[in-house]
Amino acid sequence: MSSGKKMWSAALLATAVLAVTAACGSGSGGGGETADGRIKLRFSYWGSDARQKMTEEVIKKFEAKNPTIDVEGEFSDFDSYYETLSTKVAGGDAPDIITIEIRGLREYADRGTLADLNGKVNTADIDAKVLTTGAVDGKQFAVPTGVNAFSLVVNPGLLEQSGAKLPDDTKWTWEDYVDLASKVSSGSGGKVTGTQLSWNPAYLQIFAAQRGEPFYQGNKLGLTPDTIKAWWAVMQNLIKTKGSPDAAKSAEIGATSVDQSLLATNTGAFGMWWSNQLGAVTKASGQKMDLLRMPKAQGATTGGMFLQPAMFLTASAKSSHAAEAAKFIDFMINDPEAGAIILSDRGLPASSKVLAAVRDKLPEADVKTLEFLDKVKSELADPPAAPPKGASAMEDILTRYSEEVMFGRMTPDDAAQKFITEANASIAG
């Protein structure tokens, strides 16, 4: 998954995938062959410079084991990734291997962009429930690279400096969270803010699950207005008690990446991030970080947290070298040598054999993530299935209405109704 808060254009994606049918006759896309007859595969992915470097290393390892195949990486930052991919798909020039997130999986799969990988990639060592997230209508269009969970990250040092104590995360409530964040802000003399607000749909999904509501119910939201308003009330209380920055500052911070977060810049004690982002936060801050369970609603019988693939590897249905594309995906997922290079960069390895092989090589922050997921595993809900078409726009819609409420430009009642209406229109298919 990426990684969290940046959005890509649902309208552009829809236009692109709608154009696939028309583009099918204009060429198969993919890599084709080199002048000397070697097979050429194109592999699209996003990320940091560090990810590009390690991916190029993995590609070289694959090419050494498969001397008749060349793999060309098509790399970009996350901001431009989906726009570029949509354009290629629309033009009948889809890469042979495509990296994708769960929020766009159904959209691409339903338009015939992706190949069914069932029986073509070894998935025997991937948890069956995790593997199911890459299936749409019974076809395995995507293979998860690794897993993570949306969690609360804390800087224990800043907490201690402000005179606050680590909570018992097996018992704490949203009221406790607001109180603790406020205490950090006041106890630090304004040098540190308790937490930052998050508009990530995963946060609302967890909050709703604690109240017995699913985020999606078929092609519509399963959320009630009361739950959305209660979710916003937590944030309004954080702003009111100075446990978080005000609306303007929260919106500004919310538009940045994890390495510019309050946690990463040592100006905040808490933040909500995917568990595989612990390493990035730790590296940016230079300080010790820990993972905590999310707070619960009063009387909740479930914590609502869930495992989710960090990202998927998929293959183009139009590739002229489908077998070789599947072979590369299999290598990325199952080869211990590839795993030793990638480590947890694409989530903790989905393959249990690869995870066992690289466990001793993981950086300290990733070991912490693994230990945390092991600890809470029995509490986690099953990974959600691919959301409906149009879900790619959800974070954008949710952020917009959340900010309207935080700025006081719209009442929670009005915003909740309008959010539900717009969100349902987006996912109606």
Side-chain angles (χ1 to χ4, degrees), residues 119-139:
K120 298 171 185 175
V121 175
N122 176 19
T123 57
D125 300 313
I126 299 176
D127 180 273
K129 290 179 179 177
V130 173
L131 183 62
T132 302
T133 62
V136 175
D137 298 331
K139 294 184 178 180

Side-chain angles (χ1 to χ4, degrees), residues 340-361:
I341 297 168
I342 298 169
L343 296 175
S344 65
D345 181 67
R346 287 171 164 87
L348 288 165
S351 164
S352 58
K353 284 188 178 177
V354 172
L355 180 58
V358 306
R359 189 170 187 137
D360 293 341
K361 301 180 180 71

Side-chain angles (χ1 to χ4, degrees), residues 56-277:
E56 289 297 331
E57 192 178 342
V58 170
I59 287 172
K60 287 179 183 176
K61 185 79 68 175
F62 175 80
E63 290 174 338
K65 292 187 175 187
N66 299 273
T68 62
I69 304 174
D70 288 340
V71 179
E72 178 185 332
E74 297 185 355
F75 168 81
S76 72
D77 61 19
F78 187 76
D79 279 342
S80 60
Y81 179 76
Y82 285 105
E83 183 176 347
T84 303
L85 178 61
S86 299
T87 302
K88 289 174 182 175
V89 169
D93 190 35
D96 299 275
I97 303 108
I98 302 168
T99 308
I100 202 168
E101 295 172 290
I102 195 168
R103 58 184 172 178
L105 176 58
R106 185 175 294 274
E107 208 137 5
Y108 275 101
D110 282 359
R111 301 298 181 183
T113 308
L114 308 178
D116 183 0
L117 295 172
N118 188 37
K120 298 171 185 175
V121 175
N122 176 19
T123 57
D125 300 313
I126 299 176
D127 180 273
K129 290 179 179 177
V130 173
L131 183 62
T132 302
T133 62
V136 175
D137 298 331
K139 294 184 178 180
Q140 194 70 46
F141 289 111
V143 181
T145 60
V147 293
N148 56 19
F150 199 67
S151 315
L152 202 69
V153 184
V154 60
N155 182 326
L158 291 183
L159 209 63
E160 186 179 338
Q161 287 172 30
S162 67
K165 293 181 180 179
L166 273 173
D168 178 351
D169 68 343
T170 65
K171 297 178 180 178
W172 72 328
T173 65
W174 293 108
E175 290 78 13
D176 295 332
Y177 172 58
V178 172
D179 290 345
L180 185 55
S182 178
K183 185 174 181 180
V184 170
S185 296
S186 60
S188 68
K191 294 178 182 177
V192 174
T193 304
T195 191
Q196 74 179 67
L197 304 186
S198 172
W199 317 126
N200 196 306
Y203 172 19
L204 179 53
Q205 182 172 334
I206 290 168
F207 189 89
Q210 294 174 3
R211 296 164 64 97
E213 296 176 10
F215 196 101
Y216 295 109
Q217 204 156 33
N219 278 357
K220 64 179 183 178
L221 293 181
L223 306 168
T224 61
D226 281 349
T227 287
I228 299 167
K229 289 188 290 183
W231 184 64
W232 281 331
V234 173
M235 301 183 208
Q236 289 174 309
N237 287 336
L238 282 168
I239 292 175
K240 183 179 178 181
T241 61
K242 302 190 186 307
S244 74
D246 62 20
K249 185 68 175 175
S250 292
E252 179 187 329
I253 298 167
T256 63
S257 59
V258 64
D259 57 359
Q260 295 171 288
S261 64
L262 294 185
L263 270 174
T265 55
N266 297 315
T267 54
F270 289 104
M272 294 175 185
W273 298 99
W274 290 100
S275 56
N276 72 319
Q277 294 177 296

Side-chain angles (χ1 to χ4, degrees), residues 295-359:
K296 289 182 185 175
Q298 291 278 5
T301 57
T302 176
M305 292 175 64
F306 57 94
L307 273 183
Q308 180 165 296
M311 61 188 77
F312 295 104
L313 292 179
T314 68
S316 169
K318 307 299 184 288
S319 174
S320 53
H321 297 292
E324 289 80 7
K327 191 171 189 177
F328 179 73
I329 292 174
D330 193 284
F331 177 80
M332 290 283 288
I333 298 295
N334 294 305
D335 192 287
E337 289 187 45
I341 297 168
I342 298 169
L343 296 175
S344 65
D345 181 67
R346 287 171 164 87
L348 288 165
S351 164
S352 58
K353 284 188 178 177
V354 172
L355 180 58
V358 306
R359 189 170 187 137

Side-chain angles (χ1 to χ4, degrees), residues 42-56:
R42 292 163 50 212
F43 169 40
S44 67
Y45 66 101
W46 71 83
S48 61
D49 291 342
R51 176 174 293 166
Q52 183 180 24
K53 186 177 180 181
M54 70 177 64
T55 303
E56 289 297 331

